[in-house]
Amino acid sequence: MHVFDTLSDRLQATFRRLRGKGRLSPDDVKEALREVRRALLEADVNHVVAREFIDRVQERAVGQEILQSLSAAQQVVKIVSEELTALMGGEQSRLARAAQPPTVVMLVGLQGAGKTTAIAKLARLLKTSEHRRPLLVAADVYRPAAVTQLQLLGEQIGTPVFALTGDALPHDIVDQALAHARRAGNDYVLVDTAGRLQVDSAMMEELRDLKALAAPQEILLVVDAMTGQDAISVAQEFHRVLGVTGVILSKMDSDTRGGAALTVRHATGCPIKYVGTSERPDGLEPFYPDRMASRILGMGDVLSLIEKAQATVDEGQARELEQKLLRNEFTFDDFLAQLQQVKNLGPLDQLLGMLPGMGRMKQMKESAADTGQLKKVEAIILSMSREERGRPELIEKSATRRMRIAKGSGTQVKDVNQLLRQFGEMRKVMKQFSGFGKGGRGAMKGMGGMGPFGGGMKGGPRDFAPRGGSRGKKRR
Amino acid sequence: MEGVWQVGLFDRFRQSLGKTRELFTERLASVLKRRKIDEGVFEELEEVLLSADVGFATCEDLLLRLRRESKRRGLESADELLPVLRGAIVELLGDSAAPVAESADGPTVILVVGVNGAGKTTLVGKLAHMYRAQGKRVLLAAGDTFRAAAVEQLVAWGERAGVDVVRQKTGSDAAAVIFDALQAAKSRGIDVLLCDTAGRLQNKQHLMDELNKVYRVINREIPGAPHEVLLVLDATTGQNGLQQAKVFREAARVTGVALTKLDSTAKGGVVIAVARELGIPVKLVGVGEKIDDVALFAPEDFASALLSADK
């Protein structure tokens, strides 16, 4: 459904099993790590990278007094989490800037990775967020209509595109574009290059030549998040020939588990600077390694969700909701209000993926992501009496109430039952949220399904405050 | 379709696989040099399969078959394993290459679907050329009305192949374009109508609904059509390819896979998982950017190239 989803499912399942035991034998560790390896492989993490990762975790796990510890599961999770974060890269890094403008940025990658789309998004980002004056350069002279595509995108986002008609070669195009940018006072020059195979030596030579000519501050490798094992040779070879400075991970709004992120990072040592999250011109977001790592471990990308929610959700309502969460008074009325707000947030599937615990709630995700289903849910809630909405247990206890609600909403009793069940699950998740909100380890202990992850997370519970957490704001 | 598998094409494909193949063969050779079959041999074969994007479950399945077969035949030397493994891969892929469907009367309608950047438009261009070369009357439908310049891209391919393109403005309704193309195909006595569609991620429900609508329009206008629904899978795709096949099949009854970019260093092993779990055969492969870089899929050749035991 979304990146790393099943990986987090798997890790959670594994560690749930570990948790029951309290004390771990070396065999236990081994078994858990076998599951981790499998999960990594299924997520398309390169098998060599996966093996190294497992070895490292095992080394650390066995080296510690994990066998004596009562919170052994926490320790394993802590190590897995830390190593994963380390593998994803340190802090989020920004785009380089030349001391003397213009800053030149080149996008490179395989065919179909999403270079042209990404470069337009990058231009838009520079323009709107940083008030820069980028110039787009159409240096893909091979793919039919690639130049036209960039020109149309440039028009859409109101950014000039430099292109030459006729049989101009990329070298000449870039050369003239640089001169043009200096004259026109563009502070960024973004060069879109043709897709090519990393083993196509003639085409790679062309890139090397462009690099020598333009001396770019950034060479960004665009990698499709759905890439499999071969991501390693693609990344290694582009890096070897060009000295890549960063990565853009495209199509992250797909339901791939995105192990390529780990692979590419490992292969190049370069930071992942941006991720592509939609087909719209604004679908380019910074990459946060720590968030991604927590997402891998099933904590959900809570911070991203919070930032997104803060931008859209009414502040007052949010505060009220937080209070309710803290008191565990979340009702169907709140649920209804949430549904309506969620509609304003954007694609549901994306949002739900960011929530912790959703990985385990397949049914709920699937049904909730379906907008037809959403209408049904609304109808059911609207068919409840005010009292019932506030006290779901009334409905749970009474078959006649359920029948009445089904009738009133034009649904089946089983739909009502399903909603009740899902609502119960949701309440549980909400409770976990509120646990984070209170902060401190005491609250973490009470978190049913997430128990083992609580103690293990890097920054501790404060990182996952439901809203108003300081980190979210600092990042902007 | 005879003669499409031109001599030399497969060699080109193999050549292009050359680079990783070296590494691959080297690795395999080191596996096989061991005289006796032991756990180490299977572990290394596992790595070989995993690195080809075969996927964990399919890899386990293949190795299980290999172990069983090796025991049954009483194999002792590791280099006897390779032909067995190749056989197992071919078996999972389906023994014979299923031909691309053709309509007995009226236009054959081929719908081309897939995620963004898989190579749909390029494939449509190549197929147009291929059918033209067979003397067929071909028409293209520019069903990608979303991506900037997708229509222009298809028109460029149409010019290269010498076939007309039915199109509307970017932003118009894809189903409407396809509808127009179907009418044109019927009235002009077209043999093959190739329908390009916009790239879409399979987890975007509304886009899959849109595709389903396109499918239904085709099915309504020409009963029995589309005769072939090709899912274009990029060979560099990992395990997500399986999910793509699952969901696209639901929305548009995918009948075959076109495996593109097989000239890359990626081996496209996920199609084995797709065939194994969903029973969707691979029908075509794309092996380059030139107009004739398309070929019918041959399981034997694919498995050989994957394992490259022959030289």
Side-chain angles (χ1 to χ4, degrees):
Chain A
M1 158 125 241
H2 50 86
V3 179
F4 296 125
D5 176 23
T6 318
L7 176 55
S8 53
D9 287 352
R10 215 165 249 298
L11 289 175
Q12 288 202 14
T14 306
F15 292 119
R16 257 201 304 276
R17 237 182 297 153
L18 283 188
R19 191 167 44 134
K21 292 203 168 184
R23 285 167 181 270
L24 293 175
S25 68
D27 282 347
D28 284 337
V29 174
K30 233 180 177 168
E31 195 203 334
L33 292 182
R34 205 167 18 233
E35 282 300 319
V36 173
R37 173 175 177 264
R38 178 188 176 142
L40 293 173
L41 289 173
E42 284 179 346
D44 290 321
V45 174
N46 180 272
H47 66 104
V48 179
V49 178
R51 193 179 52 213
E52 279 176 27
F53 177 76
I54 296 299
D55 287 350
R56 206 155 44 188
V57 171
Q58 183 153 19
E59 210 171 287
R60 276 191 59 186
V62 170
Q64 287 188 6
E65 78 243 43
I66 191 156
L67 300 176
Q68 279 75 47
S69 168
L70 284 176
S71 58
Q74 275 104 320
Q75 288 195 27
V76 176
V77 174
K78 185 168 184 285
I79 296 165
V80 170
S81 151
E82 282 173 2
E83 290 295 327
L84 214 45
T85 309
L87 200 62
M88 300 298 291
E91 276 301 291
Q92 182 239 338
S93 69
R94 297 171 57 85
L95 210 58
R97 205 186 312 165
Q100 190 77 29
T103 302
V104 180
V105 181
M106 237 165 90
L107 262 62
V108 300
L110 296 180
Q111 291 92 342
K115 288 173 296 302
T116 307
T117 306
I119 207 162
K121 290 174 180 176
L122 193 58
R124 187 195 164 275
L125 193 78
L126 286 169
K127 196 180 153 188
T128 55
S129 304
E130 302 190 20
H131 308 291
R132 303 280 158 199
R133 300 187 58 228
L135 176 70
L136 287 163
V137 183
D140 178 358
V141 297
Y142 306 101
R143 181 166 60 89
V147 173
T148 315
Q149 183 182 351
L150 192 64
Q151 282 170 330
L152 287 171
L153 290 171
E155 238 168 72
Q156 262 179 41
I157 58 173
T159 299
V161 176
F162 187 89
L164 292 180
T165 47
D167 295 333
L169 291 170
H171 183 99
D172 301 326
I173 296 170
V174 171
D175 196 23
Q176 293 186 36
L178 287 170
H180 177 89
R182 280 187 206 104
R183 272 197 313 274
N186 295 108
D187 47 12
Y188 274 89
V189 174
L190 310 177
V191 182
D192 184 26
T193 65
R196 67 201 71 212
L197 296 174
Q198 79 277 15
V199 287
D200 186 333
S201 46
M203 288 294 280
M204 292 303 280
E205 192 49 44
E206 181 195 280
L207 284 183
R208 217 203 301 249
D209 171 62
L210 289 184
K211 180 187 175 182
L213 171 72
Q217 278 68 38
E218 294 269 15
I219 299 179
L220 302 179
L221 176 67
V222 182
V223 178
D224 186 328
M226 296 178 281
T227 309
Q229 296 290 316
D230 204 40
I232 198 155
S233 72
V234 174
Q236 274 171 350
E237 194 59 13
F238 270 99
H239 191 50
R240 188 186 68 77
V241 175
L242 291 171
V244 168
T245 60
V247 173
I248 295 180
L249 206 58
S250 65
K251 309 179 204 174
M252 277 281 276
D253 49 335
S254 68
D255 58 4
T256 183
R257 282 142 64 187
L262 300 180
T263 306
V264 170
R265 165 71 202 183
H266 183 266
T268 62
C270 292
I272 296 169
K273 298 209 167 183
Y274 297 99
V275 296
T277 55
S278 83
E279 292 188 74
R280 292 189 308 269
D282 62 350
L284 191 73
E285 295 173 12
F287 175 78
Y288 298 115
D290 50 345
R291 294 180 190 187
M292 185 60 97
S294 74
R295 190 153 150 180
I296 295 169
L297 290 176
M299 296 305 290
D301 198 352
V302 182
L303 288 168
S304 287
L305 176 66
I306 291 158
E307 281 192 0
K308 219 165 185 178
Q310 273 180 334
T312 328
V313 174
D314 175 69
E315 275 284 320
Q317 273 184 325
R319 194 155 304 133
E320 200 179 304
L321 181 67
E322 186 189 347
Q323 287 307 311
K324 285 192 165 163
L325 290 177
L326 289 176
R327 295 193 303 263
N328 196 24
E329 285 171 2
F330 190 70
T331 66
F332 269 115
D333 274 321
D334 301 317
F335 188 35
L336 197 59
Q338 282 283 291
L339 282 184
Q340 273 141 10
Q341 282 190 343
V342 159
K343 276 189 192 160
N344 303 329
L345 279 176
L348 259 185
D349 44 1
Q350 246 183 48
L351 282 167
L352 287 174
M354 295 175 185
L355 286 170
M358 287 298 176
R360 269 177 291 148
M361 283 190 256
K362 286 243 161 56
Q363 259 193 334
M364 170 157 177
K365 269 188 326 195
E366 274 157 21
S367 61
D370 175 353
T371 38
Q373 192 71 21
L374 263 190
K375 278 189 201 132
K376 211 190 241 183
V377 167
E378 257 184 334
I380 293 174
I381 297 177
L382 290 171
S383 295
M384 295 174 187
S385 73
R386 190 152 289 167
E387 200 188 4
E388 285 165 348
R389 283 186 220 172
R391 296 173 55 200
E393 63 274 14
L394 287 178
I395 317 171
E396 275 160 22
K397 281 189 214 143
S398 160
T400 41
R401 281 180 197 261
R402 274 175 280 161
M403 214 133 61
R404 196 205 70 241
I405 292 167
K407 230 175 210 168
S409 57
T411 59
Q412 308 282 319
V413 175
K414 72 171 162 54
D415 295 322
V416 178
N417 288 338
Q418 196 187 349
L419 177 64
L420 283 171
R421 210 164 41 238
Q422 288 171 349
F423 184 73
E425 294 272 330
M426 183 148 178
R427 260 188 153 178
K428 260 187 238 159
V429 175
M430 292 298 181
K431 206 170 156 193
Q432 290 169 352
F433 260 122
S434 66
F436 288 129
K438 276 181 228 158
R441 266 164 193 272
M444 302 296 287
K445 279 217 169 98
M447 296 194 320
M450 282 202 274
F453 296 94
M457 291 318 297
K458 196 183 77 185
R462 272 176 300 110
D463 290 359
F464 301 95
R467 53 160 294 283
S470 57
R471 296 185 66 180
K473 280 179 181 153
K474 218 163 54 191
R475 280 229 161 78
R476 280 289 132 117
Chain B
M1 295 295 289
E2 288 305 312
V4 169
W5 186 268
Q6 291 139 350
V7 187
L9 223 163
F10 182 63
D11 287 336
R12 191 139 42 117
F13 159 44
R14 255 201 282 225
Q15 246 170 35
S16 58
L17 281 182
K19 191 108 183 192
T20 19
R21 166 94 50 54
E22 271 167 43
L23 218 149
F24 208 66
T25 321
E26 229 170 81
R27 276 253 301 285
L28 272 188
S30 78
V31 171
L32 299 177
K33 239 188 281 169
R34 300 173 196 235
R35 303 286 351 137
K36 271 187 69 174
I37 296 173
D38 57 14
E39 264 317 289
V41 170
F42 284 105
E43 261 170 41
E44 289 197 48
L45 283 175
E46 182 192 39
E47 296 235 318
V48 164
L49 290 171
L50 287 175
S51 68
D53 284 316
V54 164
F56 192 84
T58 306
C59 175
E60 295 243 291
D61 186 0
L62 281 169
L63 289 180
L64 193 73
R65 285 161 190 250
L66 193 61
R67 281 175 202 274
R68 216 187 286 141
E69 202 51 24
S70 139
K71 208 176 216 169
R72 196 178 66 78
R73 296 197 205 168
L75 302 183
E76 283 178 3
S77 164
D79 40 21
E80 291 171 299
L81 286 177
L82 223 47
V84 181
L85 183 55
R86 199 184 316 138
I89 290 173
V90 170
E91 200 182 312
L92 287 187
L93 282 168
D95 277 314
S96 60
V100 178
E102 279 184 41
S103 165
D105 57 333
T108 298
V109 182
I110 299 177
L111 180 63
V112 178
V113 304
V115 298
N116 314 65
K120 287 174 295 302
T121 306
T122 305
L123 180 81
V124 168
K126 291 176 183 176
L127 288 180
H129 172 76
M130 183 184 89
Y131 283 115
R132 274 287 287 157
Q134 293 173 12
K136 301 241 165 72
R137 276 158 303 177
V138 182
L139 185 65
L140 305 184
D144 182 354
T145 54
F146 181 81
R147 182 170 62 85
V151 175
E152 286 83 349
Q153 187 178 344
L154 189 68
V155 167
W157 277 109
E159 278 165 16
R160 285 186 194 179
V163 303
D164 284 345
V165 181
V166 175
R167 63 187 135 152
Q168 288 179 18
K169 278 202 304 274
T170 300
S172 51
D173 181 22
V177 178
I178 302 290
F179 178 85
D180 286 354
L182 289 163
Q183 306 314 318
K186 282 192 275 191
S187 66
R188 291 194 218 169
I190 290 293
D191 297 316
V192 181
L193 172 64
L194 295 162
C195 304
D196 191 17
T197 61
R200 66 200 76 223
L201 297 173
Q202 73 276 11
N203 55 332
K204 311 260 159 147
Q205 190 55 48
H206 61 294
L207 296 181
M208 296 312 283
D209 290 345
E210 180 198 84
L211 179 64
N212 182 253
K213 182 177 161 193
V214 167
Y215 177 84
R216 280 181 286 126
V217 165
I218 296 174
N219 195 247
R220 191 186 61 209
E221 293 307 310
I222 299 182
H227 306 91
E228 194 77 75
V229 181
L230 293 174
L231 173 68
V232 180
L233 258 183
D234 183 331
T236 56
T237 306
Q239 296 312 299
N240 191 251
L242 197 54
Q243 185 65 14
Q244 290 172 25
K246 258 181 215 162
V247 181
F248 273 97
R249 185 174 64 170
E250 270 169 40
R253 202 185 53 93
V254 170
T255 55
V257 167
L259 187 61
T260 57
K261 308 183 200 176
L262 207 49
D263 53 328
S264 70
T265 50
K267 286 142 217 138
V270 73
V271 296
I272 304 173
V274 169
R276 173 179 167 270
E277 289 193 28
L278 304 173
I280 302 175
V282 188
K283 299 210 165 176
L284 296 161
V285 294
V287 290
E289 291 180 303
K290 287 190 293 299
I291 199 159
D292 57 353
D293 288 337
V294 64
L296 290 182
F297 179 71
E300 299 272 355
D301 292 344
F302 178 78
S304 294
L306 201 86
L307 297 173
S308 70
D310 48 340
K311 278 183 282 185

